Amino acid sequence: MALSCAGNILKDNMMRCVPVASRASSWWSGVEMGPPDAILGVTEAFKKDSNPQKMNLGVGAYRSDEGKPFVLPSVRKAEEIMMAANHDKEYLPITGLADFTKAAAALAFGENSEAISNKLNITSQAISGTGALRVGANFLQRYFPDNKQVFLPTPSWGNHTPIFTHAGLQLGAYRYYDKNTCGFDKAGCLEDISKIPEGSVILLHACAHNPTGVDPKPEDWKELSQLVKSKKLFPFFDMAYQGFASGDIDRDAQAVRHFLKDGHQIMLAQSFSKNMGLYGERAGAFTIVCESEEEMKRVESQVKITIRPLYSNPPIHGARIAATILNTPDLRTQWLGDVKFMADRIINMRKMLADNLKKEGSTHDWSHVTDQIGMFCFTGLTPEQVERITKEFSVYLTKDGRISVAGISSANNSYLAHAIHQVTK
């Protein structure tokens, strides 16, 4: 009996070994190579180019007029204050630094916001705008009671699609950009939104639409708000450029504030990468506006549960910088000047580019260059023209014709205008 059992055990063990022996040499041999990142690919090609006049207009990060990374003076001052305070490095709560989240909500909604005064908002710190969007996506997937489909403008930021689909949500689209005018396709946008099923989620860029730089006018936002409300759609705002777009934090927040005024309950993702230059600090905020304080507390409890398995709690340094700036009156005033300085430089580069194109003798209408706003500009260049401008002039940009205006300087603006003219005439 014992020998029989031993034989069975030996036989069983040998059978168990067979799959291991027949397995490929690596656990990951079935993993396919993923497609290269479009923007990183542009940067890599730029680095290999030996042309001294080369330009990298693909990266979405602010540069000084000398083409260098720029740390805001207000950020430097905030860090000095923080160093003197000798802060510890303890874990933050799941929802982050309270001084930061309160200030972030007030920045977005306004100091006299009823949503804040009536305690209707749950605002949590997030890992910049991307993290805020992902927390929102996970929350929608689990708790949104109606159609778990998110409608994105066409086009939209490239990362929106994987953020929502990886969270298990379905995607839809609505027209936004008019290729013929390089502007806002208002008629197409309103028509498509009117056909979105009730109870769906609609993603809206609060300002400085990425990648087009095309924003609806204030009166357009009012129409959009009424339509979204009549269709019973749930608005999720992505606000990555408050202050950085126009240089005015209130102007850039007008869409969000108007929707709140119209009675919408919204989700909001905020990033402080652009308007404070905190790219590597990953400072952001995620907000849900609720119907009552009691509802807010229930939602807050589930936001915490959503965040916990994602990253447990957020990083502290960037939040402290932002909180120090927003909550210190003199420093806040300095920051408002800093962010206006960045916005004004980009606006000036747009005007200079349009003027230089005229000087080149271009007969095309380049008004969209100055009509668009924020870091990015959809030039209207075709993929063939993009290929040519890169090959002949070492000007690097994405194939859709998007350029980062922050990558243009006073020194190379005329060179860019010449290059654009040569491939479009």
Side-chain angles (χ1 to χ4, degrees):
M1 185 68 174
L3 286 173
S4 176
C5 289
N8 287 337
I9 292 171
L10 180 60
K11 181 180 179 181
D12 186 46
N13 285 341
M14 289 175 68
M15 291 178 66
R16 290 178 184 175
C17 288
V18 171
V20 178
S22 63
R23 177 177 55 79
S25 59
S26 171
W27 294 105
W28 315 119
S29 59
V31 177
E32 298 179 355
M33 177 64 71
D37 184 277
I39 295 175
L40 292 180
V42 169
T43 301
E44 287 304 310
F46 169 81
K47 289 178 180 178
K48 295 176 182 177
D49 195 323
S50 59
N51 186 345
Q53 291 183 295
K54 65 182 181 179
M55 298 179 67
N56 184 2
L57 303 181
V59 179
Y62 181 82
R63 294 292 180 261
S64 70
D65 202 44
E66 293 71 40
K68 304 295 183 183
F70 180 67
V71 179
L72 277 61
S74 53
V75 169
R76 291 291 193 204
K77 182 62 178 177
E79 289 187 311
E80 290 176 9
I81 293 171
M82 290 160 54
M83 288 295 290
N86 196 29
H87 291 297
D88 60 42
K89 299 292 184 182
E90 291 295 300
Y91 288 124
L92 284 174
I94 294 174
T95 52
L97 187 68
D99 287 346
F100 167 70
T101 56
K102 290 176 183 177
L107 183 70
F109 299 158
E111 296 295 338
N112 299 317
S113 166
E114 291 185 4
I116 295 174
S117 61
N118 292 331
K119 300 180 179 178
L120 304 181
N121 66 298
I122 152 60
T123 300
S124 172
Q125 188 180 329
I127 302 177
S128 201
T130 302
L133 287 162
R134 184 54 193 263
V135 170
N138 281 30
F139 192 89
L140 287 169
Q141 199 284 326
R142 184 166 183 181
Y143 298 107
F144 191 62
D146 291 322
N147 184 27
K148 296 183 190 295
Q149 187 172 18
V150 181
F151 285 79
L152 305 178
T154 304
S156 197
W157 180 44
N159 215 16
H160 280 146
T161 293
I163 286 171
F164 290 111
T165 56
H166 288 187
L169 297 166
Q170 300 298 311
L171 291 182
Y174 61 92
R175 280 174 286 176
Y176 185 89
Y177 177 72
D178 186 337
K179 291 182 179 180
N180 296 320
T181 65
C182 296
F184 178 47
D185 183 2
K186 180 179 176 180
C189 180
L190 294 174
E191 181 182 356
D192 284 0
I193 292 175
S194 70
K195 297 176 181 177
I196 294 176
E198 288 190 2
S200 301
V201 180
I202 183 168
L203 190 285
L204 301 163
H205 295 237
C207 62
H209 179 275
N210 181 2
T212 68
V214 172
D215 282 357
K217 295 176 181 178
E219 56 268 28
D220 298 334
W221 278 117
K222 291 178 181 179
E223 285 189 61
L224 286 166
S225 174
Q226 288 302 313
L227 179 57
V228 168
K229 193 171 187 178
S230 68
K231 288 292 298 182
K232 296 181 174 61
L233 304 179
F234 181 72
F236 191 165
F237 278 96
D238 184 358
M239 186 158 67
Y241 300 95
Q242 187 183 0
F244 191 89
S246 68
D248 184 332
I249 59 171
D250 295 318
R251 176 181 169 183
D252 292 346
Q254 64 182 345
V256 169
R257 294 177 187 179
H258 183 78
F259 268 62
L260 289 176
K261 184 180 178 181
D262 274 359
H264 292 274
Q265 292 175 234
I266 69 168
M267 272 187 176
L268 172 68
Q270 286 173 272
S271 168
F272 289 82
S273 293
K274 307 299 191 299
N275 59 12
M276 288 191 180
L278 300 177
Y279 300 99
E281 301 290 357
R282 314 312 293 145
F286 169 68
T287 295
I288 303 177
V289 176
C290 303
E291 188 176 50
S292 66
E293 183 179 357
E294 184 273 333
E295 181 178 89
M296 179 275 291
K297 290 180 179 178
R298 286 188 282 109
V299 170
E300 180 182 35
S301 71
Q302 296 298 342
V303 167
K304 290 178 181 179
I305 290 171
T306 301
I307 290 173
R308 178 64 170 155
L310 290 175
Y311 53 84
S312 192
N313 42 51
I316 197 168
H317 190 74
R320 276 184 176 153
I321 293 172
T324 302
I325 289 172
L326 295 174
N327 295 317
T328 308
D330 291 347
L331 206 51
R332 182 188 177 97
T333 300
Q334 183 180 1
W335 168 67
L336 291 173
D338 290 343
V339 74
K340 188 176 188 306
F341 170 81
M342 292 190 292
D344 285 351
R345 193 187 88 75
I346 289 175
I347 292 169
N348 186 49
M349 286 301 102
R350 288 178 177 275
K351 184 178 183 303
M352 188 181 294
L353 180 60
D355 290 344
N356 282 329
L357 282 162
K358 290 180 182 178
K359 290 177 183 178
E360 285 287 327
S362 177
T363 57
H364 293 292
D365 180 8
W366 295 103
S367 60
H368 61 277
V369 173
T370 50
D371 289 343
Q372 294 172 13
I373 194 169
M375 179 173 286
F376 300 111
C377 173
F378 248 35
T379 59
L381 267 63
T382 65
E384 293 76 20
Q385 291 167 337
V386 170
E387 184 178 358
R388 187 180 163 197
I389 202 172
T390 299
K391 184 177 180 180
E392 296 180 19
F393 298 95
S394 298
V395 175
Y396 291 85
L397 61 157
T398 51
K399 291 181 180 179
D400 56 10
R402 188 201 80 167
I403 63 173
S404 173
V405 185
I408 308 173
S409 70
S410 301
N412 61 24
N413 197 299
S414 59
Y415 176 76
L416 175 62
H418 174 72
I420 291 175
H421 176 54
Q422 290 302 310
V423 302
T424 58
K425 66 180 180 178

